[in-house]
Amino acid sequence: MNKPKYHASFLDAQYLERLTRNNLVYPDAPRFWQDGFIIGNGDVGAIAYAPYHVEWTVNKTDVFDGRTGNGKFLKDCEVREHLCRTGARNLRFLNECEPSDGPSPVSKSCGLIKIRFGDEYSWGAVRPHQIEQRLNLAEATCQMKLDMHLSHPRIRSFVAADRNALAIRIDRVSSCAWGYRVELVQPFDVDWASPAAWGQDDGMVWFTQEMPHGGACYAMVLAAVARGEVAPDDPRNAMVAPRYRVKHSQLGKAHQLGDRAWLDIQGHADLFVTLVTSYESKDPLAEARRLARETRAEGFERLAERHRQWWGAFWSKSWMELPDDPEVERSWYFSLYETGSLLRKAPVPGLYGLWYGHTDSARVGLPAAWYTHDQNVQIPIMPVFVTNHPELVEPFMDTYLNVLPELQRHTREVYERPGVCVPLVSNQLGQALPARSYRYSLIGGAYNGLLFVWAYRFTRDEELLKKRIYPFLREITRFYVAWMDKMPDGRYRLDILIPPEIGTLSHNDISTLALFKPCLELAIEASRKLRQDEAECRQWEDVLAHYPELPTRDGLWVSGSDIELSHYIQAAYLLYPLFPAGDSSSKTTEITARTFDRITERDIEISYADEAGRWHFRRAWAHFFPTMALLRLGRTDAAWSLMLDALRIYQKPNGLFSHNPVIQVPPEITERNVRTIPKGKLGAPGDEPSPLSEFQSWDAPNAATMNTLAGRLVGPVSEGSGAWLMMATETLLQSHGGCIRLFPGLPGGKRAKFGNLRAEGGVLVSAERGRENVQSIRLVAIMPVAVRLMNPWSGTQQKIAAKRNGKKHPLASDSSWEFTFDRAGDTVEIEC
C-alpha cells in the first residue's frame, strides 16, 4: 500500500498556504484538557493547554485499566433455554445473571508535563503570561507565545512521527524568568494497584507505574538538555549590575516529592518525554530510558526534521479547497490531521481516541477504554480510503488480527459457534466486556469486516488480501454462516440477535445482514482466488445464493423480521443498506428514501431541545448516517444543511467533536419547543410509548444550555472527526457502485476543487468546479483498472475533450464514460 515515506523536500507553496490558513489559533490558550490542542502519532498522544502556566496531558493507547468486571457469560444454549421457558423477547434477565460488578475499564492518562515559571499558588505568585496557542497543521506542532513584562518565551511541542517521544523546545527565555522548573507528574489514582516508583539521574527523572491487570506496567521518562545563552539584548541583563547578570543555560538539580519529580532549569532547554509499556518491552523502564538518551543525543532539530518530513508526505497525498465555505474547509483539514494523529499503530485507540485527561482528584482517566463495535470504533476508519490514506487502515486490521485467538476462544465458549464473533464491547486485549442485556448485538464482526472489504475495494492489494483481509473475513464468515438456518423455502435466516440500539430480539437484523453481505462476497472471491477453504466456500456460495431478504413492512425498512412497524427505532441503522453497506440498487435506494422520510415518527434519537421550530439528532453518530444517506440519495441541499448542523451542535472550539450535542439556546425557547412537538410523533409527551420499547422518546436533558463555555468543557470523541471527514469528502467525490461522481453533495453556485482523492478500484481523482459548472477533471490510475465516470456536463451542448498519453480527442455527450487504464500512472485529463 502507498504509505507516507520520508523525502527530502517538504510541502510546496500551495499546500503550505492551504494548511496555514486553516491553522487553529487561540489568542488565549485553553485552560483545561477538554479544550486543549492535540498532537499525536497514533500510539502516544498529548493535549496542550495552560491553566496558569503551560502543561501537557500525555496518553498512550495501551495504558488502561484492563479489569473486565464480572466477565462471566451464560452460554448460548443457556440463554436460549431461558427464552424458550419464559417466552421473553428481550434479554433483560442478563442484567441480573451477568452483573457488571467489577471496575469499569478506563483509559488512563499516563502523566502530565508542567512548566512552571514561578509559583502560582502563593500570595506573591508570579503573574501568568499572556499565552497565544497555535496548532501548526503543516508541521503537526503546537506553538505557544508567552508574553509579560520582560519575559517572552516561545515553546514548540510535537509527538514525534517516528518514535514514542514528546519533544518540547523552550526558547527566548529572558533573564527575568531564567530559572524555572519542569515537572513530571503522576496524579493520585484510586485505581492504580500501587504508587509510582520514582528515580532520577543524568538530567532525567522517571517513574514506573503498575496497571491493575495481568502484571502490566509502563514507564515514563522526562529528559532535558540546556542549550544556548541569554540574548545579547536581554533588557533585564542591561539593567542590573554585572555580577547579577545571567549568561549560560544549564540544568540544575532533580527533585522528587509525592506525585511528581522535577528538573530545575536555567535558560533555554529541550525536553524529551518517552513512554514504554510492558506490552512493548520486558523492561519498560530500561527501554524508556534508552529511548530518552537516544532522542536527547540526536537532538530536537533532527527529530523535528524527520517529523516534518513524515507530515509533509502525509499532507501531500490529498487536498481540497472550498473558497465559499472556509469553516467547512478548516474542519476538513483539522479532521484529517486528527485522523493522521490517531491511526498509526495497533491497537488503535477507542472511543475517546488519545484525547482524554484527568477528571477529578481520584481518577485520571475516562470510562471508555474499550471498543464498542456497533459503529463507534469503525467510524474513525471510514474516511481514510477516499482521502487517499488507506495505509491508516492497517493498524485497525492488526488490532483484531493480533487478538484473533482470544476472539475465537470467546466465540467457541460463549456463543458455541466456529469462527469469530466480535463482541459488542472488548478491550485492547480482545477480551469481551460485560454488556448484559445488550450483548447479543452481534454486528461487530460484519461491521469490522466491511472496513476490510473497503481496504480491498480501494487498493486491490493482493498481498493485503492474502495476509490480512481474508484471514479475518474467513473467521467472521464462519461465525455468521453458523448463526444462520436454512428455511423450508430454501432461503437462509439469520438467527436471533439484538438489532443495534434496540432492546427486542429478532431474526434477520437488517444492519447485520446489510453489512455482512459484502463481507461474504469478498470472502468467496478471496477463497477462489487464493484456492483456500474450498469446501467451506461451497457452503458460503449457497448462503449468498439464498441470502436472507432484508426485512420490510409497508415498503419501509424495519430493524428485524420480528419487529413491528410501531416499534421505536434508531433510524441510523435502518439506513445501513445504502450506507455504509453500499447497495445502490434502485430497490434499496427507493426503500431507503421512503424510510428516511418517515424516520422522525419513531426515531428516539430526535430531540426538540433546540431553537424554535428546530430539532436535531441526539448523538453525533445518529447525525452522521442520515447525512450520508441524503448524500447517497442525491438530496444535496438537505445533506449540506445537516452537515452544517453538525458543526453547529457537535464541534468544539478546538476542532474536535463531542458525542452529544451542545446547544446554546435560552431554556424558555427550548422548553417551549418541547411542548410543541408535532402531533403524531410516537413517544411524544402524552402519547403511549411503542409497546415493545424500553424507552419513551424524550428530549435529552444534557443538550441545551446557556453556558458559553459548554462546548469547551465537554469531552471529545474520535468518531466525530471521522464522521465529519467522511461527510465533507463525500460532497466532493463518490465512487460506490462502480461509478465516479464529482461534487455530488455540493449545492449549486459553490466553488470547489480537490486533488488526489481516491476512488474505488484505485484511481486518484482531481477536479475543479466554478460557480456554474465543472471546469477540469484529472484521473490517475494507481494500478491497471477500468472505471466509469459520470458526465458532469450531461445535457449541455459544450464540446468535451479528453487528453490521454499526449493526444487530445473529443468525448461524446453521454451520461457517463468508461476508461480503461493499462498501467499505474496512466492519466486522463478532461475539459469542457
Side-chain angles (χ1 to χ4, degrees), residues 126-307:
V126 63
R127 298 303 178 252
H129 290 81
Q130 168 67 32
I131 305 176
E132 177 191 284
Q133 188 160 299
R134 177 183 299 266
L135 183 63
N136 184 317
L137 292 175
E139 298 184 3
T141 301
C142 181
Q143 302 169 340
M144 302 182 191
K145 291 173 56 179
L146 287 69
D147 291 296
M148 63 180 294
H149 180 62
L150 299 180
S151 180
H152 307 279
R154 299 293 184 259
I155 300 175
R156 286 187 290 155
S157 62
F158 60 88
V159 175
D162 65 345
R163 67 186 68 185
N164 283 346
L166 166 64
I168 303 170
R169 168 158 283 186
I170 308 167
D171 249 334
R172 293 183 57 181
V173 180
S174 71
S175 62
C176 183
W178 198 244
Y180 55 95
R181 75 185 197 187
V182 178
E183 295 181 348
L184 171 63
V185 183
Q186 167 58 316
F188 168 76
D189 191 322
V190 296
D191 290 328
W192 291 135
S194 62
W198 294 87
Q200 56 184 280
D201 72 11
D202 187 29
M204 294 184 186
V205 292
W206 64 79
F207 68 82
T208 57
Q209 174 66 63
E210 293 182 19
M211 291 184 264
H213 63 275
C217 68
Y218 71 94
M220 188 170 181
V221 176
L222 165 65
V225 58
R227 32 165 295 279
E229 298 183 351
V230 70
D233 59 349
D234 180 76
R236 179 187 175 279
N237 266 2
M239 291 187 292
V240 300
R243 65 179 180 276
Y244 296 124
R245 293 173 186 168
V246 296
K247 186 175 182 181
H248 296 288
S249 301
Q250 57 184 329
L251 293 183
K253 293 182 179 180
H255 309 266
Q256 195 276 315
L257 181 65
D259 66 353
R260 68 198 60 205
W262 64 92
L263 295 169
D264 290 329
I265 298 178
Q266 294 184 3
H268 320 300
D270 292 336
L271 311 175
F272 304 97
V273 181
T274 57
L275 279 162
V276 177
T277 71
S278 53
Y279 296 112
E280 301 168 307
S281 172
K282 293 181 179 179
D283 189 340
L285 177 58
E287 178 60 19
R289 292 179 64 194
R290 183 202 66 76
L291 183 60
R293 286 193 299 269
E294 177 185 284
T295 304
R296 183 172 62 180
E298 188 172 9
F300 186 93
E301 284 298 348
R302 291 183 65 187
L303 194 67
E305 179 82 357
R306 288 202 309 277
H307 181 73

Side-chain angles (χ1 to χ4, degrees), residues 16 22 39 52 118 172 266 273 298 341 346-347 390 416 582 585 592 615 715 743 747 765 815 829:
L16 189 59
N22 289 298
I39 47 179
Y52 199 97
R172 293 183 57 181
Q266 294 184 3
V273 181
E298 188 172 9
S341 302
E416 302 174 304
S585 66
T592 302
W615 59 267
F743 307 106
V765 184
S815 61
E829 296 176 335

